[in-house]
């Protein structure tokens, strides 16, 4: 299975004369490359949008825990009233909006219609409990979206920003590098200063239950990305944060620094650690075949331990 640390859904609009109301919804792990495909700068893919070039981003929705979530959102965004996720809240729509969403004509692709559809989905589970974020390329597009969304609101943890896609991807890369730098520093500290004379697992302590955690069991624990001093078993923090009648937490305060954290962000960081460690093990296999059996066991353990997280996010 291919792992993506970033996967997004997007809305683009045509800039071709006479086609300004033409829009398109899609998904991609690389929005910069994808727009180049839509505009014909790269030859692979994006055939359906060829005759309406050039295209411009309107908004990007990102923060999905898995590619599966992004693809579900994409399909529901394209066909909001056919999606099982939105069937329970059709009655909440105004007659005007529902009529536009149901029309199978060029009017169903109006930019405002797709913005309404996005608002509908962002207020519908499971998307309303995911750590999603919205990026608008132009301030007037953000204002247009927020002006209409005031009537129904958005979940409090879903944030918006304005800026170029290039700046967004650079910021995500920098934050990911900073987080992984902290992980590797902590791991190296354990190797050289804590367990230098003993062949022991690299150990952390759960902030909540006080029991030990192996630092290499990357999917078994979460860590505060603000203070880096709070590490907890996934189950311990989930139990502390989860609300009655909910299947998974949405957000909560770090038990140490009280900073507000999103549950989905913590899971994404755990997956990032897991993938980095798996790559490290694979590199070890290629350089020394004698370690292959040990690396396979470690990888299998990581996959097995991920089941609790997958159950909380899928």
């Amino acid at each position: 299975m291919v792992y993506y640390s970033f996967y997004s859904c997007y809305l683009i609009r045509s800039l071709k004369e006479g086609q300004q109301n033409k829009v398109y919804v899609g998904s991609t792990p690389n929005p910069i490359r994808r727009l180049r495909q839509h505009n014909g700068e790269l030859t692979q893919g994006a055939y359906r949008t060829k005759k309406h070039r050039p295209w411009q981003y309107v908004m990007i929705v990102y923060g999905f825990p898995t590619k599966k979530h992004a693809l579900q959102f994409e399909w529901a965004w394209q066909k909001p009233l056919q999606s099982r996720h939105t069937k329970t809240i059709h009655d909440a729509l105004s007659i005007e909006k529902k009529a536009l969403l149901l029309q199978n004509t060029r009017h169903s692709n109006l930019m405002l219609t797709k913005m309404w559809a996005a608002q509908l989905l962002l207020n519908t589970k499971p998307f309303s409990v995911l750590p999603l974020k919205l990026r608008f390329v132009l301030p007037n597009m953000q204002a247009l979206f927020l002006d209409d969304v005031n009537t129904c609101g958005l979940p409090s943890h879903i944030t918006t920003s304005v800026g170029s896609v290039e700046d967004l991807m650079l910021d995500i890369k920098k934050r990911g590098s900073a987080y992984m730098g902290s992980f590797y520093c902590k791991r190296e500290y354990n190797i050289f200063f804590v367990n230098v004379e003993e062949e022991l697992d690299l150990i952390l302590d759960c902030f909540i239950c006080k029991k030990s955690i192996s630092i290499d069991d990357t999917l078994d624990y979460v860590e505060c990305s603000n203070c880096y001093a709070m590490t907890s078993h996934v189950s311990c923090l989930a139990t502390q944060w989860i609300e009655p009648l909910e299947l998974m937490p949405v957000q909560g305060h770090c038990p140490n620094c009280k900073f507000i954290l999103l549950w989905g962000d913590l899971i994404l960081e755990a997956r990032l650690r897991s993938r980095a460690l798996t790559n490290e093990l694979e590199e070890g296999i290629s350089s020394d075949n004698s370690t292959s059996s040990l690396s396979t066991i470690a990888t299998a353990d990581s996959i097995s331990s991920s089941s609790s997280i997958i159950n909380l996010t899928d």
Side-chain angles (χ1 to χ4, degrees):
M1 178 182 293
V2 178
Y3 172 78
Y4 297 98
S5 59
F6 177 91
Y7 214 96
S8 65
C9 294
Y10 61 85
L11 174 66
I12 56 175
R13 64 169 180 169
S14 174
L15 297 180
K16 185 177 181 180
E17 185 177 356
Q19 299 291 326
Q20 282 79 7
N21 281 333
K22 186 68 178 178
V23 298
Y24 179 84
V25 168
S27 65
T28 179
N30 190 334
I32 297 175
R33 176 183 173 84
R34 189 57 177 161
L35 187 62
R36 294 184 66 195
Q37 289 177 323
H38 282 300
N39 285 328
E41 298 174 29
L42 300 176
T43 56
Q44 296 179 347
Y47 300 111
R48 293 178 60 188
T49 57
K50 182 177 180 179
K51 64 181 180 179
H52 299 292
R53 294 169 179 165
W55 293 88
Q56 178 190 56
Y57 276 119
V58 175
M59 60 184 291
I60 293 176
V61 183
Y62 64 101
F64 296 97
T66 65
K67 178 182 177 180
K68 176 182 175 181
H69 286 97
L71 295 181
Q72 288 176 337
F73 189 93
E74 176 192 14
W75 191 92
W77 199 357
Q78 292 170 343
K79 303 173 182 178
L81 294 187
Q82 296 180 36
S83 170
R84 62 183 174 85
H85 299 297
T86 59
K87 286 181 179 178
T88 59
I89 57 173
H90 287 179
D91 293 340
L93 292 173
S94 69
I95 295 176
E96 177 190 8
K97 290 184 179 181
K98 189 170 182 178
L100 282 172
L101 291 172
L102 282 170
Q103 287 178 0
N104 188 26
T105 69
R106 64 185 179 88
H107 295 295
S108 63
N109 277 334
L110 288 171
M111 185 171 61
L112 269 178
T113 303
K114 290 304 180 186
M115 285 188 173
W116 293 337
Q119 295 166 15
L120 176 68
L121 291 172
L122 292 169
N123 280 286
T124 308
K125 291 182 179 179
F127 309 119
S128 62
V129 299
L130 299 181
L132 301 181
K133 300 173 179 65
L134 310 180
R135 180 73 164 197
F136 295 88
V137 175
L138 298 174
N140 62 323
M141 295 301 165
Q142 183 194 43
L144 188 64
F145 182 88
L146 294 179
D147 181 61
D148 189 70
V149 84
N150 286 335
T151 59
C152 61
L154 286 177
S156 60
H157 64 278
I158 295 181
T159 59
T160 68
S161 63
V162 179
S164 70
V165 177
E166 290 78 9
D167 287 345
L168 171 65
M169 300 307 295
L170 182 61
D171 182 57
I172 290 172
K173 183 177 180 179
K174 286 181 177 178
R175 286 189 281 113
S177 298
Y179 180 79
M180 290 310 301
S182 172
F183 169 67
Y184 282 123
C185 285
K186 185 176 292 187
R187 195 164 180 269
E188 291 301 313
Y189 176 84
N190 275 267
I191 291 174
F192 291 110
F193 294 100
V194 178
N195 299 316
V196 67
E197 297 180 353
E198 302 180 46
E199 294 183 1
L200 299 174
D201 288 337
L202 309 181
I203 300 300
L204 302 170
D205 292 324
C206 176
F207 190 89
I208 297 173
C209 74
K210 309 306 180 184
K211 294 181 180 179
S212 61
I213 305 171
S214 172
I215 196 172
D216 285 349
D217 290 338
T218 51
L219 294 176
D220 280 350
Y221 66 91
V222 291
E223 181 181 53
C224 176
S225 55
N226 182 62
C227 67
Y228 294 103
M230 190 288 297
T231 303
S232 164
H233 290 105
V234 169
S235 57
C236 290
L237 193 61
T239 300
Q240 190 172 96
W241 281 5
I242 200 164
E243 298 290 337
L245 304 179
E246 295 290 346
L247 296 178
M248 59 176 279
V250 177
Q251 62 183 353
H253 291 89
C254 168
N256 180 58
C257 68
K258 309 306 178 184
F259 188 77
I260 296 178
L261 302 170
L262 299 183
W263 180 254
D265 284 346
L266 298 180
I267 299 305
L268 284 171
E269 290 162 359
R271 291 180 183 274
L272 189 63
R273 291 193 304 264
S274 177
R275 186 58 192 166
L277 189 59
T278 299
N279 288 340
E280 185 177 298
L281 291 171
E282 290 172 351
E283 290 173 2
I285 291 173
S286 62
S287 63
D288 186 357
N289 290 331
S290 66
T291 65
S292 61
S293 60
L294 294 176
S295 299
T296 302
I297 293 172
T299 305
D301 287 344
S302 295
I303 295 172
S304 175
S305 66
S306 70
S307 60
S308 61
I309 293 181
I310 293 173
N311 289 335
L312 288 171
T313 59
D314 283 350

